[in-house]
Amino acid sequence: MYKLDLPIDLKEKAAIERRRRAEQERQGRIFNSKYRQIGIDKNTLDQQIQDRKWMEELEEKRAAAFAKDAIRNDTIAQLLQRRQEYDERENNRALNEFRALHQQPNAQREWDLNDPDYLRKDVPARVSDDDPRCGVASLQKFQGEDLNARARNQYQKEQLREWSRLQQEDLRRAEQQQHAADQLFHAKQIELDQRAMALQRAEEQCRRDINKSVRNYNDALFREAQERRALKKRQEDYDNYAEMTNMVTSDLLSENPDQAISQFGPHRVVPDRWKGMNEDQIRRIRQEQQSQLEEKKRREEEERQRDQEWDQRRVAEAKAGMIAEKQLERERHGYQQDLYHDNQRLSNEQRNLKAYLDRVVYTNQPTAAYFTQFNSSSR
């Protein structure tokens, strides 16, 4: 069914309803002072929504990470628990094994008293003459008894012969070792004596060579010193002769005035060669001093006149300043008087205007119904 087939009243009703909703939405936007003056920052809202989604995703990831961490910790705890149980079983097994190997009843200190086969394992009261159990109070061995006398005597003889043979071999071996050591010592002594004699001869020859070299070196040094002293004396004699010649023929003793002229200009002199000024130079210096004195007096006179003119000018400017300051003070006083009269006139006019408004203009006061007509429509 097409839209044109709808009844007229329904279309009008829908249009009226649509305009009513639009008017309400418009009034909500217009009457909202915050929205009307500031508006909505859609970009900021979108950014806030994105930040909110990002925070939610981050929280989900954080929860997932904590869950994975908890699972991993549980797994590690289970592994540690199984490892602890395994270690406890191994310790118990090792303990039982140690007890089975090293803590048997026959290893106890009181086993001799608790052994059921004690009588079958016991030995006779006397085994031989040297049995340590047969003491004086045992009544098992008496004075004069010797059961193994023959075998003991034979064993003692064999032992004595063996000891004698071993002593003879040790003595013969010691003599051979001592003889070999003596021969080696004598050979070593001979070798050391020969080496000491050779070293002594070499040392004496080296000492003779050194002494000869030292004597030759000392002789060469002595000849060189003599030649150096002779050469130095000849040089000193030559220098002294040249110095005397230079002093006799020098400009210093001949008092040549040209020797004081410096190489840096004719107006400069060399102090250690200067013999004093001549009459012409002294006269020019005195003339220059007199001209400088006159120039100084002229400058002092000009300075005094200039200071006097400045003092007169300062006095005149001070008088003019005082006159101008008095004039400004009179003008300021007149301006304040005019301003006071103007303020009085404006105050009277404002007072009259307010009285006129209160008596004539502001006679009709608005009621509450006057204010309720505002903000009732968006147009």
Side-chain angles (χ1 to χ4, degrees), residues 15-32 375-379:
I16 293 170
E17 187 66 24
R18 185 174 63 253
R19 287 196 298 271
R20 185 179 293 111
R21 286 198 304 271
E23 180 66 20
Q24 291 178 358
E25 293 176 358
R26 181 180 174 84
Q27 290 180 3
R29 291 193 303 271
I30 292 176
F31 294 156
N32 189 354
N375 290 335
S376 61
S377 175
S378 63
R379 301 296 177 180

Side-chain angles (χ1 to χ4, degrees), residues 294-329:
E294 293 176 357
E295 180 67 20
K296 183 178 180 182
K297 289 181 179 180
R298 185 183 59 80
R299 286 198 301 268
E300 290 178 354
E301 182 64 24
E302 291 179 356
E303 187 69 23
R304 187 182 61 77
Q305 292 178 2
R306 190 182 301 109
D307 293 340
Q308 186 176 2
E309 291 176 358
W310 276 107
D311 293 338
Q312 293 176 359
R313 185 173 179 179
R314 282 197 297 271
V315 172
E317 289 179 355
K319 291 181 180 180
M322 292 176 64
I323 295 171
E325 185 178 358
K326 291 181 180 180
Q327 181 66 26
L328 289 175
E329 185 66 27

Side-chain angles (χ1 to χ4, degrees), residues 45-295:
L45 295 178
D46 295 339
Q47 183 66 33
Q48 290 178 358
I49 293 172
Q50 292 179 1
D51 293 342
R52 182 64 178 273
K53 291 181 180 179
W54 179 77
M55 290 296 294
E56 292 177 355
E57 293 177 358
L58 182 63
E59 189 66 25
E60 292 177 359
K61 292 180 181 179
R62 183 167 176 270
F66 279 129
K68 291 180 180 179
D69 195 9
I71 294 171
R72 183 174 62 83
N73 293 332
D74 293 339
T75 305
I76 293 172
Q78 293 177 4
L79 293 174
L80 292 176
Q81 185 176 3
R82 287 197 291 270
R83 178 64 180 272
Q84 185 177 2
E85 293 176 355
Y86 175 76
D87 292 340
E88 290 179 356
R89 289 196 300 271
E90 289 296 323
N91 291 331
N92 294 330
R93 183 185 63 77
L95 181 61
N96 294 328
E97 184 177 357
F98 177 81
R99 288 174 178 175
L101 292 176
H102 303 288
Q103 293 184 352
Q104 293 296 327
N106 55 7
Q108 296 179 359
R109 183 177 59 182
E110 295 85 3
W111 176 248
D112 294 337
L113 302 177
N114 301 326
D115 189 4
D117 298 331
Y118 174 73
L119 297 177
R120 286 195 296 269
K121 296 178 181 178
D122 194 10
V123 297
R126 180 180 177 183
V127 178
S128 64
D129 293 339
D130 297 330
D131 193 348
R133 298 176 301 163
C134 298
V136 177
S138 63
L139 298 178
Q140 298 295 327
K141 180 180 179 181
F142 298 95
Q143 187 71 26
E145 292 184 348
D146 191 1
L147 300 179
N148 297 324
R150 181 176 297 177
R152 180 173 52 76
N153 292 330
Q154 185 66 26
Y155 176 75
Q156 289 178 355
K157 291 178 181 179
E158 293 292 336
Q159 188 177 16
L160 184 60
R161 284 195 296 270
E162 183 67 22
W163 286 353
S164 177
R165 186 182 62 79
L166 293 175
Q167 288 178 359
Q168 291 177 2
E169 291 180 356
D170 292 338
L171 181 61
R172 186 168 52 256
R173 190 181 302 109
E175 290 177 356
Q176 293 176 357
Q177 292 178 357
Q178 183 66 30
H179 182 67
D182 292 340
Q183 290 181 352
L184 182 62
F185 177 75
H186 290 309
K188 189 68 175 178
Q189 287 294 115
I190 294 171
E191 182 182 358
L192 292 176
D193 293 340
Q194 292 177 355
R195 185 178 299 177
M197 292 175 65
L199 290 175
Q200 185 177 2
R201 289 194 295 272
E203 184 178 359
E204 291 177 356
Q205 183 64 30
C206 183
R207 188 180 295 109
R208 286 194 295 271
D209 295 338
I210 291 173
N211 293 332
K212 184 178 180 180
S213 300
V214 169
R215 284 196 301 272
N216 295 332
Y217 181 72
N218 291 333
D219 294 338
L221 288 178
F222 178 73
R223 289 192 297 272
E224 185 180 356
Q226 286 181 346
E227 292 178 358
R228 192 184 301 109
R229 285 194 294 271
L231 179 63
K232 184 177 181 182
K233 189 175 184 308
R234 288 196 299 271
Q235 185 67 32
E236 288 180 354
D237 293 340
Y238 177 76
D239 292 339
N240 293 332
Y241 178 75
E243 184 179 1
M244 287 187 294
T245 303
N246 292 331
M247 291 298 293
V248 170
T249 59
S250 64
D251 295 335
L252 180 63
L253 296 179
S254 61
E255 295 185 357
N256 186 7
D258 296 334
Q259 66 174 346
I261 300 175
S262 177
Q263 297 179 359
F264 297 100
H267 61 283
R268 301 184 66 176
V269 296
V270 180
D272 57 350
R273 300 178 183 177
W274 190 53
K275 296 298 182 179
M277 294 182 295
N278 52 25
E279 295 295 334
D280 188 15
Q281 292 177 347
I282 295 174
R283 182 177 53 77
R284 288 199 302 268
I285 290 173
R286 290 177 178 175
Q287 290 177 359
E288 183 66 24
Q289 290 177 352
Q290 185 65 28
S291 62
Q292 290 177 358
L293 182 60
E294 293 176 357
E295 180 67 20

